[in-house]
Amino acid sequence: MTSWNKFFQNPIIQSELQKISKFRKKSLNEDPSSKIYPKEENVFKAFNLTPLEKTKVVIIGQDCYHGCINNIPQAQGLCFSVPDNFPFPPSLKNIFKELMNDIGCNMPQSGNLTQWANQGVLLINKSLSVKEKCPNSHKKLWNTFSKELIKFIYDNKDFVIFICWGNDAINTLKGFNYKEHIILTAKHPSPLSANKGGFFGCKHFSKCNEILEKKNITTINWNLNN
């Protein structure tokens, strides 16, 4: 059975990861006071929590959170997710507002999305690292990796639902023929975008489960309070 190991053993990915590792070390050597998020051991957390064979849904985020609270990074290797007991960033707050309106649950008590990941929701950012307080600082660094990742999922999965919020995520899927897969798109949940319309009311959580049900695939329990 194909697994993420095959992806990470790809010579293109091996080469990219070497470049990324060198860049990270060089950045920290040049400025020892600087920080890169998430912690190195959490960069590929999404792949560890959501094996390829169990992946049903792929949510594509843009960039990692670039802040920290009490020396603990907001970014934990899952797009839009923050550790337990952290305040919800604005985008995540809007995601939860849509979640409540869509499936009728209460506001989640935690912004930790591990529960989704464990059910087969791959929570992946286009950029898997960021310099502290410098949004999109590693965007170009991960370009090839993210393109190859989408290609790998496309080539190795019979069916996946891609959830893309915002043009950055939508553009990641350009150039592929998605006959066998489903793409759900909406505006980005950030207040600047969501408050102008196009995100609230997208009902992606319920739509996703309707699609999975029709395919006889176990649905996702999106309610984080259960």
Side-chain angles (χ1 to χ4, degrees):
M1 186 179 286
T2 306
S3 71
W4 294 126
N5 287 339
K6 184 181 175 185
F7 171 71
F8 282 100
Q9 285 163 6
N10 179 338
I12 296 172
I13 297 305
Q14 291 274 307
S15 174
E16 287 302 306
L17 292 179
Q18 284 174 14
K19 287 180 199 171
I20 291 163
S21 178
K22 283 178 185 175
F23 178 88
R24 188 180 184 117
K25 285 172 186 171
K26 186 183 175 191
S27 299
L28 295 174
N29 285 337
E30 287 175 353
D31 182 5
S33 65
S34 70
K35 293 178 182 176
I36 293 174
Y37 300 139
K39 290 180 178 177
E40 200 164 4
E41 64 266 25
N42 287 332
V43 172
F44 301 113
K45 187 175 183 178
F47 302 97
N48 294 328
L49 291 180
T50 313
L52 179 65
E53 63 271 17
K54 291 185 179 177
T55 300
K56 311 170 189 177
V57 181
V58 180
I59 297 181
I60 304 172
Q62 293 181 2
D63 196 28
C64 308
Y65 295 127
H66 54 87
C68 73
I69 297 173
N70 297 325
N71 288 322
I72 301 171
Q74 288 175 296
Q76 55 171 177
L78 304 173
C79 71
F80 297 110
S81 181
V82 291
D84 290 322
N85 303 315
F86 266 46
F88 304 155
S91 291
L92 184 59
K93 201 177 285 184
N94 282 340
I95 289 169
F96 285 164
K97 283 180 186 175
E98 175 59 24
L99 177 70
M100 289 190 297
N101 289 331
D102 186 9
I103 68 168
C105 66
N106 293 323
M107 175 65 79
Q109 295 171 359
S110 170
N112 187 337
L113 305 182
T114 298
Q115 219 171 294
W116 292 355
N118 287 337
Q119 295 179 75
V121 181
L122 183 69
L123 297 161
I124 198 78
N125 279 309
K126 279 188 70 178
S127 179
L128 298 191
S129 64
V130 68
K131 186 178 178 182
E132 184 182 32
K133 297 179 183 175
C134 297
N136 285 317
S137 49
H138 291 182
K139 186 176 179 178
K140 289 181 181 176
L141 193 63
W142 291 94
N143 262 346
T144 300
F145 180 95
S146 60
K147 284 177 186 173
E148 290 293 325
L149 174 60
I150 297 301
K151 183 178 182 298
F152 180 81
I153 295 170
Y154 172 78
D155 288 341
N156 289 279
K157 291 293 292 184
D158 293 331
F159 174 77
V160 155
I161 299 172
F162 292 94
I163 295 180
C164 300
W165 295 324
N167 288 333
D168 229 26
I170 293 165
N171 290 338
T172 308
L173 303 185
K174 279 188 175 176
F176 291 99
N177 181 352
Y178 287 94
K179 275 184 184 176
E180 304 304 320
H181 307 291
I182 298 283
I183 304 171
L184 301 177
T185 63
K187 295 286 186 183
H188 195 272
S190 69
L192 276 174
S193 180
N195 293 339
K196 293 176 183 175
F199 176 73
F200 295 118
C202 68
K203 297 188 179 295
H204 281 175
F205 303 102
S206 59
K207 283 179 182 176
C208 188
N209 276 351
E210 284 168 15
I211 294 163
L212 291 173
E213 204 166 355
K214 283 178 185 174
K215 290 272 186 181
N216 292 316
I217 298 170
T218 307
T219 56
I220 307 296
N221 178 10
W222 297 105
N223 188 347
L224 293 165
N225 295 324
N226 287 350

